[in-house]
Amino acid sequence: MRKALLSLSLLMSGPAAVVAGTAGYPLPDTPAVEQQVNHLLGELSLQQKVDLLGGVDGFCTRAMPTIGLPRLCMSDGPVGVRMHGPSNAYAAGMALAASWDPSLAREVGTSIGKDARARGISFVLGPAVNIYRAPLDGRNMEYYGEDPLLAGSIAVGMIKGIQSQGVVATIKHFVANNSEYDRRHLDSLVDERTLHEIYLRAFEMAVKQGHVGAVMSSYNRVNGDYTAESRYLIHDVLDRGWGFKGLFMSDWGAVHDGIKAFKAGLDLEMPAADQMTPAKILQGLQDGTLSQTQLDSKVRRLLRTAVRFGLMDRPRQDYAEPLLGPAANQVALRSALESAVLLKNAHHTLPFDAARMKTIAVIGPMAYPGAASAGGSSHIDTFHTVSILEGISQLVGSKVKVLYSPGLPTPDQVFKRPAFVTGDGKPGLLRQTFDNPDFAGLPAASTVDATVDHWKPELWTTPATLRKSIRWSGRFVPGKSGKYLFLTAAASQDSYTLYVNGKAEIVQPMREGQAPHAVTLSLVAGKPVQLRLDYKPDVAYSRMGFGVIAVDDLIAPAARKMAAMADAAVVAVGYGPAAESEAFDRSFELPWGQAALIRAVARANPHTVVTVTSGGGYATRGWLDDVPALLQNWYPGQQGGTAIADILFGRHSPEGKLPFSFQRAWKDNPVHDFYYAHAAPDGHPVVRYGEGVLLGYRWYTSHPDKPQPVFPFGFGLSYTQFRFSHLKVSGPSTDGSVEVAFDVANTGHRAGAEVAQVYVGDPSAQVARPARELKGFRKLRLAPGESRHVNIVLDRRAFAYYDVCRHGWRVDPGKFVVYVGDASDSTPLQADITMGAQP
Ligand code: BGC
């Protein structure tokens, strides 16, 4: 799949007109709207209708000038408006979920909506609500965590914000796209109850509560059908079940069978009608296999969207909206401030007191430059990103000396170190290039490369028509005995295998994308190892990077020295766009060298704080016990460094809470044995969601005897303390709702925010249910000493499970337990309530 970016001039070519306001959009779907839609539909010829089923120019719908329908353009999504030059990056999806604050999501959505209008964009391709099943999913940072209620609530806020600007939000990826390692081929086998309770719920909220304008399919299949072709998902669930009347579009290149997609309910194939081609559809209509009513319904949905969002009444581009401005910067800052999660803070290491500090060491690959967003279609090129180094330097000013070292070499620096010797003793590796993809016959060219340093972290490039293969061979002679890191990196759909002494140590199969790989091997001084690197580029040039370095030499001596000189050290580590991205999965271990760097700095300075840039959990074994404090900063957007500095130095008390269960070891995750695909009898890869509804904290709280997460769902520390008291659960009232009332007090000495979390357990259910499920939450800002009375109403659905016999929601009468607290495993308040039979 290739994505062409359309040029700004193309977008701007529409008729210039006065910008009308966006207040009041989207219009409610009234009879007047339907009348206008029907009128427009009636003006279209059959050919015109069929032509509207596919996109144009990579990211737009087709214009129909005869009815005044302009070309409507789209942009990713979901952490900012990705296209058409630099833009604003807000804290990414997982960060917004960690804020547990739908009003923040709404504010970010409003700002994204404005950014979209400023760039002539009518559809934002976000938010994205695929559930966090595993820390390895390369796209977790775009999503909202493991709980459907939390994900749905954040999504509703985001949608309302975007759509308040007259811009259509597009919820994605519908559905069960919970890994990236082979997303275009996987078939997610999910039982009906799990699908509804866990994976569909956030989409349902987006439709019913957020009134989202558009839905995007995923790439994968669900229970056998590609989601853009699943009549069950599109027609039965989305349209008939939830009453969705907006536009259902495919993900880019996700349609395999245009006729099946047409019948299932796909309205718009993106980026173009490659499968739902006009010729096929016209033929089907002619021979009666396809219905005109269904064609009309699809076109109506596009027209309805255009009418309801006022897209035919005003120019798409709003020149009065600034491309970059203080307002967006403020929103970006707030999103980062409210989402960072303080996971550990022994001995009150944080907040730092700048007045009592002379020197601080800022170390690590994520200290500079700042990683506002991760990789893939959510990546934003910002005007400027405040890095952690800059944030800290700006905050402390001239009072505190800020020492900086990246701590580790960059991949390029490793690749550029001359390390190899050819078979006949020349420095470098012998490169043999074959004019075929399989190293067959004699090489067409041979030369010696001093280093293999061509790495370019590209994604979605055009494959070469003439495929080559390249083999590097030679030796590495270790200068000293010990551990050595072998680092490799290529890009996009390149594949390669690194053999060390004849053994395949690193294998990168042909996939949509890839992260760098590393393996550590113990070598003996002077004893050469034989190397062979077989590389199959997907493009006409080499993107291969390969280097070897002694693990002892990885950590910059400056890092240790600076840490020892300073009053405190901040080690900024994490993944970044090349290692965590759409189109490939990432490792559970932190990238190469980072754990060792943390240990080295912590040995040099006991006041070492670790900050991590990631979209999900990672291995903490081997370093967490060595450091007193850990701050999870996600992908924090363009103001990340400012926010992180504000938190480290106590200008803002941390308030984020984990939106997923953070495992000690990947194998402790109930999904572990079900994550990777196996082959179905016909050979296609299937992933069986064998953990069912017992995902994340639903599993941990149901199995207290099993290894528990190092940091549980809902957990996050503050610089102040809170107390929960006076729980009163009343009801159910005649409509089946239950009122949960309690008090939360800030018992500490500074202002802070707490997230009150309400969980429900159903011990008398006739089916096995999780021990507790999140059913309500409220974020509270409290001054020191302040107490707030909180009232949360749970509707009857909060007590229900999905009953596969009646294909609907069911409450088993009997006792339920309501738990209230500050994390999934920390609920000081608890009360029983009895629910009656179905009202
Ligand atoms: C992604 C979508 C994205 C689309 C357009 C696809 O590869 O999965 O999330 O919106 O490309 O960029």
Side-chain angles (χ1 to χ4, degrees), residues 1 3 59 76 82-83 125 139 142 172-173 183-184 216 219 251-252 377 460 512 582:
M1 205 261 323
K3 294 184 205 175
F59 280 86
D76 294 296
R82 153 166 92 101
M83 277 115 146
L125 303 176
R139 246 179 144 168
E142 291 185 54
K172 64 188 189 183
H173 309 88
R183 61 179 178 159
R184 288 168 192 267
M216 185 195 292
Y219 283 118
D251 199 343
W252 270 230
S377 62
W460 302 312
E512 192 183 348
E582 172 183 351

Side-chain angles (χ1 to χ4, degrees), residues 105 364 504 536 564 765 771:
K536 298 184 179 187

Side-chain angles (χ1 to χ4, degrees), residues 132-133 146 660-661 663 669-671 691 693-701 713:
Y132 180 104
R133 258 185 107 218
E146 76 183 26
F660 55 82
S661 311
Q663 286 88 35
N669 187 318
V671 170
E691 73 285 359
V693 295
L694 290 181
L695 181 73
Y697 74 88
R698 286 170 162 75
W699 193 83
Y700 295 110
T701 56
F713 174 83

